[in-house]
Amino acid sequence: MTDTHEPVTGAGDLRRRGFLRGAAIGVGAVGAVAGGAAALTGTAASAATPAPTRSTRSAFHGAHQAGITDPVQQSTAFVSFDVTAADKRELTELLHAVTDRARFLATGGTPAALGITDSPSDSGTLGPRVPGDGLTVTVGVGASLFDHRFGLADRKPARLTAMPAFDDDDLDPAWCHGDLSLQLSAPHADTVLHALRDIARHTRGGMQVRWRMDGFTSPPRPSGTPRNHLGFKDGTANPDVADPATVNRLLWVGGGTNGEPAWTTGGSYQVVRTIRMLVEFWDRVSITEQERMFGRSRDTGAPLDGTKEFDTPRFAQDPAGDVIPLDSHIRMANPRTAQTDNSRILRRGYNYDRGMDSDGNLDMGLIFVCYQQDIERQFAAVQKRLAGEPLVDYITPFGGGYFFALPGVRDRSDWFGRALLA
């Protein structure tokens, strides 16, 4: 296999499987624009304010994937897939197809015009021209992709496993794991759903949806970080992604070090958790008790020993937990010690609303997504510290998985997973 994306020939079998033909339509599009529950309140020390809604193109090419360090957008869909490709060749073609569609959808352009007797090359839900609209497409691989099917067992990222059940989880197997993860994010829900339909159409026969959750973020009210369904600001603290030393220590994997395969360079470990929030139960709890469980003021987001959202809690000056309880969420998630500094994560949370459950209760919650260099050192360490916290009576983690977010697509000759499958 070469590093360039060469046209596939002899694809009769793929026409039968149904996804390569669709990918070719995207490559030939006319006028295409060239371009480019863990901690519920965060575990890091520096703050990031969400960007306002944007409708510009997001850079698709780069050493790292879009959607990891970009500001959280208003709409998202997280989808886990089982790969149904028959062998390594078809897996390669599948990832070519995903790359071609993601590149076109993220950069925008006019879909190809087909014959009047053929089905349209695009659903048309965004109009005659795909706008780009800031769409990001983030692709990850699960541990199950490295089984016997594709001969990749010796290339598995060193720290990639199936997500275990933690002490306070109630995991549903139907909502867990997967061979591939795909997160689509944009300022508008129709852009996300259009992209999901497009990629599903062009990859039919190569992968099948295992589980899916749609999410959203709300405008900051009144300012600062958006709130979750429990009414508290969600994700107040995050590592400074503009600081190279910080991201190289906490976020990006460097292939060839720490036992990682060389191909992993530029990737990051992705943790996804779907967490139901028992909002009707929560709404009957006093505000004082709610704030002591979080360790923050609900109105301002400030730690209980501070006045502003981004104030750093002074745990050392409150050793007995008189102001911020010792079992509060922010104190257990990130004790802010030298020993726990290296366990910080980059979190990207989204609310979800699935209506009602079979008993007539509101079904709302959080899609928790985080990125890190080492799941065990970072996310799992935080999760273990949170075992038994008071909040567990009001939340139920029921799904998700561990994935490895692939290195970025560097240019038009590159594609998702090229180094993995080379």
Side-chain angles (χ1 to χ4, degrees), residues 53-55 73-77 125-126 133 135 184-197 212 214-217:
T53 297
R54 56 195 176 104
S55 296
Q73 303 209 62
Q74 287 191 348
S75 296
T76 197
T125 59
L126 296 183
D133 194 32
L135 176 75
L184 306 166
S185 299
H188 304 103
D190 60 347
T191 300
V192 170
L193 297 180
H194 171 270
L196 178 57
R197 284 179 62 180
R212 164 193 165 192
D214 294 347
F216 62 92
T217 57

Side-chain angles (χ1 to χ4, degrees), residues 1 5 8 19 21 44 93 100 105 107 116 120 168 177 189 191 206 215 218 244 281 296 308 316 324 369 389:
M1 178 178 295
H5 183 176
V8 177
F19 63 89
R21 177 178 178 275
E93 292 161 347
D100 290 340
L105 294 165
T107 57
I116 59 174
D168 302 308
H177 315 308
T191 300
S218 303
F281 188 19
R296 291 187 179 275
K308 299 181 179 63
I324 301 179
V369 183
E389 65 166 330

Side-chain angles (χ1 to χ4, degrees), residues 249-250 337-344 373-374 377-378:
R249 180 169 61 90
L250 297 177
T337 65
Q339 293 75 23
T340 59
D341 180 69
N342 219 30
S343 66
R344 290 181 295 156
Q373 188 179 80
D374 183 330
R377 188 189 87 215
Q378 293 171 266

Side-chain angles (χ1 to χ4, degrees), residues 146-170:
F146 297 87
D147 60 14
H148 64 281
R149 290 171 292 169
F150 308 113
L152 300 175
D154 62 345
R155 303 179 71 81
K156 185 170 76 168
R159 290 155 182 79
L160 184 61
T161 64
M163 185 182 71
F166 291 91
D167 286 350
D168 302 308
D169 292 355
D170 186 17

Side-chain angles (χ1 to χ4, degrees), residues 48-382:
T49 301
T53 297
R54 56 195 176 104
S55 296
T56 58
R57 286 188 291 119
S58 178
F60 180 76
H61 295 127
H64 311 293
Q65 287 196 66
I68 297 178
T69 60
D70 293 0
V72 172
Q73 303 209 62
Q74 287 191 348
S75 296
T76 197
F78 194 95
V79 193
S80 171
F81 294 88
D82 291 325
V83 171
T84 56
D87 52 30
K88 187 176 179 180
R89 177 181 67 85
E90 290 194 2
L91 175 62
T92 300
E93 292 161 347
L94 169 66
L95 291 174
H96 276 307
V98 172
T99 306
D100 290 340
R101 297 317 302 162
R103 180 186 286 115
F104 173 72
L105 294 165
T107 57
T110 302
L114 302 180
I116 59 174
T117 60
D118 207 340
S119 58
S121 63
D122 186 81
S123 66
T125 59
L126 296 183
R129 189 181 185 283
V130 175
D133 194 32
L135 176 75
T136 60
V137 181
T138 309
V139 181
V141 293
S144 56
L145 190 72
F146 297 87
D147 60 14
H148 64 281
R149 290 171 292 169
F150 308 113
L152 300 175
D154 62 345
R155 303 179 71 81
K156 185 170 76 168
R159 290 155 182 79
L160 184 61
T161 64
M163 185 182 71
F166 291 91
D167 286 350
D168 302 308
D169 292 355
D170 186 17
L171 299 184
D172 179 348
W175 282 90
C176 295
H177 315 308
D179 293 331
L180 290 177
S181 69
L182 183 69
Q183 184 169 12
L184 306 166
S185 299
H188 304 103
D190 60 347
T191 300
V192 170
L193 297 180
H194 171 270
L196 178 57
R197 284 179 62 180
D198 184 284
I199 293 174
R201 171 182 177 174
H202 290 90
T203 58
R204 183 167 297 278
M207 62 184 186
Q208 178 65 43
V209 174
R210 180 181 179 90
W211 55 269
R212 164 193 165 192
M213 185 72 80
D214 294 347
F216 62 92
T217 57
S218 303
R221 300 188 188 279
S223 61
T225 305
R227 298 177 185 270
N228 60 34
H229 287 309
L230 299 185
F232 282 75
K233 293 175 178 288
D234 194 287
T236 290
N238 257 327
D240 180 5
V241 296
D243 177 30
T246 297
V247 293
N248 288 334
R249 180 169 61 90
L250 297 177
L251 186 59
W252 305 126
V253 171
T257 60
N258 298 322
E260 294 288 358
W263 73 264
T264 60
T265 300
S268 186
Y269 284 95
Q270 177 192 66
V271 174
V272 184
R273 303 268 285 175
T274 51
I275 304 170
R276 183 171 179 182
M277 294 175 167
L278 308 179
V279 293
E280 291 163 300
F281 188 19
W282 177 258
D283 289 344
R284 296 194 293 270
V285 178
S286 73
I287 185 63
T288 299
E289 187 177 352
Q290 289 183 2
E291 291 181 336
R292 287 180 63 80
M293 278 191 269
F294 272 101
R296 291 187 179 275
S297 161
R298 191 180 73 171
D299 286 353
T300 66
L304 294 180
D305 63 357
T307 59
K308 299 181 179 63
E309 177 184 351
F310 300 117
D311 287 349
T312 299
R314 300 182 295 274
F315 295 148
Q317 299 176 26
D318 181 27
D322 295 327
V323 180
I324 301 179
L326 299 180
D327 61 356
S328 65
H329 185 79
I330 65 169
R331 196 156 190 161
M332 295 177 72
N334 182 12
R336 288 172 169 78
T337 65
Q339 293 75 23
T340 59
D341 180 69
N342 219 30
S343 66
R344 290 181 295 156
I345 57 178
L346 175 63
R347 60 163 293 129
R348 299 170 58 83
Y350 297 84
N351 297 322
Y352 77 78
D353 175 13
R354 297 194 296 174
M356 314 292 288
D357 65 16
S358 58
D359 296 322
N361 298 311
L362 297 175
D363 189 349
M364 299 179 177
L366 179 74
I367 309 171
F368 170 90
V369 183
C370 73
Y371 293 92
Q372 56 264 291
Q373 188 179 80
D374 183 330
I375 290 178
E376 192 62 31
R377 188 189 87 215
Q378 293 171 266
F379 168 78
V382 173

